[in-house]
Amino acid sequence: MNVLRDLLELNVPFGRRMRAWVVAVLAMFYVFIHIYAVFYGSPNYMLIRSLHVAIALSLVFFYLPLFRRPDGTQPVYALVIDILLFLGALWIAAYFMLFLNTWEIRKAYLFPLDYFTGAVAMLLTLEATRRAVGFSLVVISVAFIAHALFANYFPVPFYGPPASMDRLFVSLIYSDEGIFGAAIAVMVQFVVVFILFGTLLTVTGGGSFFSRIAFALFGHMTGGPAKASVVSSGFLGMLSGSAVGNVVTVGAFTIPLMRRLGYKPSFAGGVQAAASNGDIIMPPVMGGVAFIMAEFMNRNYVEIALAASIPAILYYMVIYLTVHVEALKLGLKTVSRSQMPNPMEIMRKQGYMLIPLILIILALVLGYSIVFVAAVIVITTFVLGLIPKVGRLSPIRMFDAFEQTARSTVALSATAACAGIIIGAVFSTGLSFTISQWAVDATDGRIWLILLVGAFMAFILGLGMTASAVYITMVVTVIPILVKAGVPEMAAHFFAFYWGNISNITPPVAFTAFAAAPIAQANPMTVGWQATRLGAATFLLPTLMVYAPALLLEGTVPEIIHVTISAGMSLAALALACTGFTFTLMSWTERGLYLVASALLIFPSFETSLPGAALFAAVTAFNWYRAKQEKARGAIRTQVVSDVEETRAVIEPTTALGRSWARFVAKRMEKEADGADLAAPQPTSGQEQGQIIDMLMKDVEGPGAPKEVSDTIRAWAWGAIAVTALAFEAMGQVYIHATDPYLWALFLFLLSIFATVTVVRLWAKGRTNRPAALPVGDAIFGDG
């Protein structure tokens, strides 16, 4: 569903246009309540959380309609079901508004209406989660609910006293542990506004700036496009935290260019898949997990972001090293420096795009609150968006950014609410304590065995889930076990989080690999195995965190330096052993010695890391000496691989995996990438190298580009936005959110209607370069 297109184009079916209007107003209202809360303060916490969840569920049902056909249409009965679900979500918001002053009392005694509303909230949350991420989290949630009600029928270690229906409903709905608990609180306070910042920066050219500067700096080097892919993915990951979204945007340029220069299709796709998966672990956003982690650990957000930084940098460092030696191994040609733009020229024109990131770092280092930082960077990004002549922020681009923010976060909110069901069910029975105690007793306190069990549980529970859902599930399952066994708290949280997200690059799930495979024209499973090899750091880093907490900045400065160097060398040795090349092709003996060095360097003690470093240096020096000798003989050993056979080996996922699993993966990828806005023309792998570079480097014009409407229309639209901003200020000055939360919600909803209708109607009537009309769909709400 493309809301902006449906609102601006001619001949769009009435039903589809009405749906677009409803979605646009709800999305605007959804973003408005969070912007207001950041700048002026929040009303009663239960009111804003219930509004957040209710609107998020409503939008999920619109963005991901039931039984959507391949052409985008929907059966009538499915449409009726979606409307009923939408009304149910509205009832959740109405219920908490009606009983705002008495809902605390309801914890002591529940009325039939409370049971009804609680059941509706749980069912809608489970259905929205199913549409957003699939059945995995839903099945886990239902299992935990069943356990809470019938714990006395379960075997050890799950045996225990069951929770009464009253206690379960209070825990799931009316406490701070369930659907409206900590995860939703973090979404309300931080995540939505930070996603808005990233979206604003992207629609004003920030995303393309990072890609262009990465290519300008690294594109001419050995393996330049692959290195640029790694670097630009790292930068974009700091803003978005969307792995699949990164693949389909950055990968559309980097993968075809890598293939043109001689990389195997599967390797090209694997590079982008592995690099994009790093978005989830790259601070400051980490897919929203950084804020949720700070809440559950009761730590300052800055601590979490800083702790995540060294492992994330090491992860990208290993991928960067791998693509470098792979390029040497294949003897690949490079892109001429003359084809690359001058990085100083790009910085001169767009260097101001770095200001928001610099402000984030400075403000957090100086100790300002994360809410203050969010407000500052949103204002800064808005102002910066008005600077460029091409792609300048316009009212319609601003509306598009708001709608994209809602699109990107409502599915995350639904999964956070569903994860709250798990947390509430676990707390209602005390299951996490029971499981933790049993696991420690069963393994006799042996850390290595606890880690093995924890890694397996995290990997299985994380299959097919988003980063935030993975982490919240880990909080009540794996993490308590690790903490009970004596693993440092910070290391336990990161260990489970890393292992829970490994399935993004490892077959058979490998969502990032499946997203990259069509662009690379390669077998998705092969791409997945290449991504696994390139992302091998995620297998070692969690263990390093446990045995060397200094990697998470929990130690003295000398310890942190020692552990970082040791970990970097260990990961580099593993990468080189997997690639089989340093300066020339390795023998199996050299590979084995690199693996031994990697194993020795894993442990933080000098007794093992020093011999490991010495072995690493010796093997590297020997390989360099052999390469020098071979070069002198004019016979440097490389491995040139043609991609013809691999391209012919491309198969449909239905052949490789089976139709049911292929459909699951395809739908899950579609949901992951649904909010990605492809701001630039997307090249295909068949285009020539020069065309791809030209498309990447040229300035991008998107919705609301100059000359689309007259200056008069533009002025009126900005006037409507100014009126909306003044209304915000007036409401904030009288503290309406505290004095009368009902009027607060009503005024914001009316402002959402006013801003949406005014801007869109002005733009629709004033466009001077309207594209051709879209084909008419065959169903009421069909996409045509």
Side-chain angles (χ1 to χ4, degrees), residues 167-187:
R167 182 179 176 186
L168 181 61
F169 263 79
V170 168
S171 183
L172 294 181
I173 308 297
Y174 304 102
S175 72
D176 295 337
E177 302 160 352
I179 290 176
F180 305 103
I184 290 298
V186 173
M187 290 293 302

Side-chain angles (χ1 to χ4, degrees), residues 446-456 482 487 495 499 542-543 546-547:
R446 287 170 286 190
I447 294 293
W448 67 269
L449 190 53
I450 290 283
L451 295 181
L452 190 63
V453 172
F456 178 76
L482 300 176
V487 175
F495 179 92
W499 271 103
T543 304
V546 172
Y547 285 102

Side-chain angles (χ1 to χ4, degrees), residues 144-164 167 425-435 438:
F144 275 101
I145 292 174
H147 174 267
L149 292 174
F150 306 105
N152 54 321
Y153 293 102
F154 280 73
V156 175
F158 304 102
Y159 176 83
S164 65
R167 182 179 176 186
V426 167
F427 274 93
S428 69
T429 60
L431 177 64
S432 59
F433 174 80
T434 304
I435 290 289
W438 173 85

Side-chain angles (χ1 to χ4, degrees), residues 32 723-724 727-728 731 746-756:
F32 273 11
V723 169
T724 305
F728 267 66
M731 292 167 62
L746 177 61
F747 285 167
L748 282 185
F749 184 68
L750 293 176
L751 284 174
S752 303
I753 297 175
F754 168 75
T756 302

Side-chain angles (χ1 to χ4, degrees), residues 470-490:
V470 167
Y471 172 70
I472 298 171
T473 305
M474 297 300 106
V475 167
V476 293
T477 53
V478 176
I479 293 173
I481 297 175
L482 300 176
V483 173
K484 184 72 175 178
V487 175
E489 182 186 37
M490 185 77 79

Side-chain angles (χ1 to χ4, degrees), residues 622-772:
F622 178 73
N623 191 266
W624 173 82
Y625 175 76
R626 285 203 306 112
K628 186 177 179 181
Q629 295 294 105
E630 290 172 2
K631 187 176 182 180
R633 295 194 301 268
I636 188 74
R637 296 168 63 204
T638 61
Q639 179 179 328
V640 180
V641 179
S642 171
D643 66 3
V644 175
E645 292 185 2
E646 186 170 346
T647 302
R648 290 176 179 169
V650 176
I651 57 174
E652 292 294 326
T654 51
T655 304
L657 298 177
R659 296 183 183 276
S660 298
W661 183 257
R663 283 196 297 269
F664 165 73
V665 171
K667 289 181 179 179
R668 181 69 176 80
M669 283 169 49
E670 181 183 355
K671 294 166 185 174
E672 279 279 343
D674 192 49
D677 178 44
L678 309 186
Q682 297 304 301
T684 64
S685 59
Q687 287 180 297
E688 293 300 324
Q689 173 182 316
Q691 290 179 290
I692 298 171
I693 294 173
D694 289 342
M695 291 178 69
L696 179 67
M697 293 306 167
K698 75 176 184 179
D699 290 329
V700 176
E701 295 193 16
K707 307 301 182 185
E708 185 180 17
V709 298
S710 67
D711 291 339
T712 303
I713 293 292
R714 192 181 298 272
W716 277 105
W718 277 122
I721 292 175
V723 169
T724 305
L726 290 174
F728 267 66
E729 178 65 18
M731 292 167 62
Q733 289 299 322
V734 298
Y735 299 100
I736 191 172
H737 55 281
T739 58
D740 197 333
Y742 299 104
L743 277 181
W744 170 83
L746 177 61
F747 285 167
L748 282 185
F749 184 68
L750 293 176
L751 284 174
S752 303
I753 297 175
F754 168 75
T756 302
V757 172
T758 304
V759 171
V760 173
R761 293 293 293 172
L762 282 169
W763 229 261
K765 289 185 176 182
R767 297 172 80 196
T768 59
N769 57 346
R770 183 192 301 274

